[in-house]
Amino acid sequence: MRDILPVLERWYAARVPFGLATVVAVSRSAPREPGAAMAVGPDDEVVGSVSGGCVEGAVFELAQEVVASGEARVATFGYSDEDAFAVGLTCGGEISVLVRPVTPESDAVFGAVATSVAAGEPVTMATVVDGPAPTGATLAVWPGTVAGTLGARGLDVAVTADARGELALGATGLRHYGARGERREDAVTVFLHSFAPPPRMLVFGAIDYAAAVARIGAFLGYRVTVCDARPVFATPKRFPQAVEVVVDWPHRYLHATDTDERTVICVLTHDPKFDVPLLEEALRRPAAYIGAMGSRRTHHERMERLIDAGLTADELARLRSPVGLDLGARTPEEVAVSVAAEIISLRWGGTGAPLTATVGAIHATGSA
């Protein structure tokens, strides 16, 4: 979508109808991921791709039909022995494609979304794929505002809350709801397309606990980097496949690395010569979470060194040390769960208390 946006913005500004096809679901060895897009505009101009060439012909025809009818449609393309080349996907996978007409009249929020994406501002576009809600209806969700509607107030509220959660992780995919936004129902299928890079998790100290934290970080949708100055420990073999491993002094690596308000920094070095200069750097830069492992005694000694290094009370207040929530964790995997629980709690303002001891709504509903 990002690649074809300049053309789509031009068509939209000229009030020229176009058909926008978006991959909303894939299975097995499908050639493109959810979010891949293709559009058919004036004079049958085509931009983008939904399958790398396999089913573009069929999608082209479908886009022409939805522009003519003004009604969105969903098509699924897959492989079968009988008609493999007829359906187009000879790779053995399957893709579902939502094709919808786009004009300022049919989609009043598209222009604002395109502007935000072009400017690098995070936004999620929620689009109805199936169910009693209008297929192709859109709701744009930014961190602080929303625009558009999916046709029901309750559905808008539920989708807004989920869209912000997906946006925080840069995640894209299908979600299911009741007709009025009820949880754990599947009457309505909504595609959440997040335009934000996944947040980063920087894990310092290539120990067993780091491997466990890296695994759960990747599971939660973070782009994980593990850094350690000791090449004997910082090896790709010791860490999950999706994790980047860097051999460098932690504070030097962090100094040369961009962070933002979504970045998570976990300091597991357990050695003052590493963690004190690293925390000096970390506590003076943007980050959503900065946690450091250690005993109570290690924590107090570390704080004294950081005070001696000139860090202010406000800077030190950002440090979560000892790292994690009190779960009674012992093993590296249990500690990783404890750290992840604290990160999630801080992100969404959770108390960390058992839900049986709380009252009111379990999830923040957001506003629509």
Side-chain angles (χ1 to χ4, degrees), residues 159-250:
V159 171
T160 295
D162 288 346
R164 286 180 175 145
E166 300 293 84
L167 187 58
L169 295 173
T172 288
L174 296 174
R175 300 294 289 263
H176 304 278
Y177 307 88
R180 292 182 294 276
E182 298 90 341
R183 304 285 180 176
R184 295 189 294 181
E185 294 189 22
D186 58 3
V188 180
T189 302
V190 178
F191 180 63
L192 301 182
H193 192 176
S194 297
F195 294 93
R200 298 197 67 185
M201 174 182 280
L202 306 177
V203 182
F204 295 96
I207 60 177
D208 289 345
Y209 291 94
V213 170
R215 281 195 297 273
I216 202 166
F219 175 76
L220 291 175
Y222 288 93
R223 181 163 65 94
V224 182
T225 299
V226 175
C227 176
D228 197 300
R230 302 164 297 178
V232 69
F233 295 113
T235 64
K237 190 175 181 179
R238 300 184 65 226
F239 294 93
Q241 202 170 31
V243 172
E244 177 189 27
V245 180
V246 173
V247 179
D248 200 351
W249 279 80

Side-chain angles (χ1 to χ4, degrees), residues 72-281:
R73 291 173 57 185
V74 177
T76 298
F77 301 91
Y79 176 91
S80 70
D81 292 335
E82 293 78 18
D83 55 359
F85 291 95
V87 296
L89 282 184
T90 57
C91 59
E94 183 175 280
I95 63 172
S96 292
V97 181
L98 169 67
V99 187
R100 61 189 183 91
V102 179
T103 66
E105 292 75 26
S106 66
D107 190 343
V109 303
F110 182 87
V113 171
T115 298
S116 289
V117 174
E121 299 168 352
V123 60
T124 293
M125 175 73 94
T127 309
V128 174
V129 174
D130 189 28
T135 300
T138 57
L139 176 74
V141 181
W142 291 266
T145 188
V146 298
T149 181
L150 302 182
R153 165 74 180 177
L155 182 60
D156 288 348
V157 169
V159 171
T160 295
D162 288 346
R164 286 180 175 145
E166 300 293 84
L167 187 58
L169 295 173
T172 288
L174 296 174
R175 300 294 289 263
H176 304 278
Y177 307 88
R180 292 182 294 276
E182 298 90 341
R183 304 285 180 176
R184 295 189 294 181
E185 294 189 22
D186 58 3
V188 180
T189 302
V190 178
F191 180 63
L192 301 182
H193 192 176
S194 297
F195 294 93
R200 298 197 67 185
M201 174 182 280
L202 306 177
V203 182
F204 295 96
I207 60 177
D208 289 345
Y209 291 94
V213 170
R215 281 195 297 273
I216 202 166
F219 175 76
L220 291 175
Y222 288 93
R223 181 163 65 94
V224 182
T225 299
V226 175
C227 176
D228 197 300
R230 302 164 297 178
V232 69
F233 295 113
T235 64
K237 190 175 181 179
R238 300 184 65 226
F239 294 93
Q241 202 170 31
V243 172
E244 177 189 27
V245 180
V246 173
V247 179
D248 200 351
W249 279 80
H251 72 284
R252 184 168 61 192
Y253 173 77
L254 183 58
H255 181 75
T257 300
D258 290 333
T259 62
D260 60 26
E261 288 74 12
R262 301 184 301 152
T263 304
V264 166
I265 300 173
C266 297
V267 179
L268 314 178
T269 45
H270 246 337
D271 186 331
K273 72 174 178 289
F274 291 126
D275 59 22
V276 171
L278 172 59
L279 287 170
E280 283 186 65
E281 177 70 33

Side-chain angles (χ1 to χ4, degrees), residues 34-49:
M38 165 183 159
V40 179
D43 300 321
D44 293 337
E45 181 181 354
V46 178
V47 292
S49 171

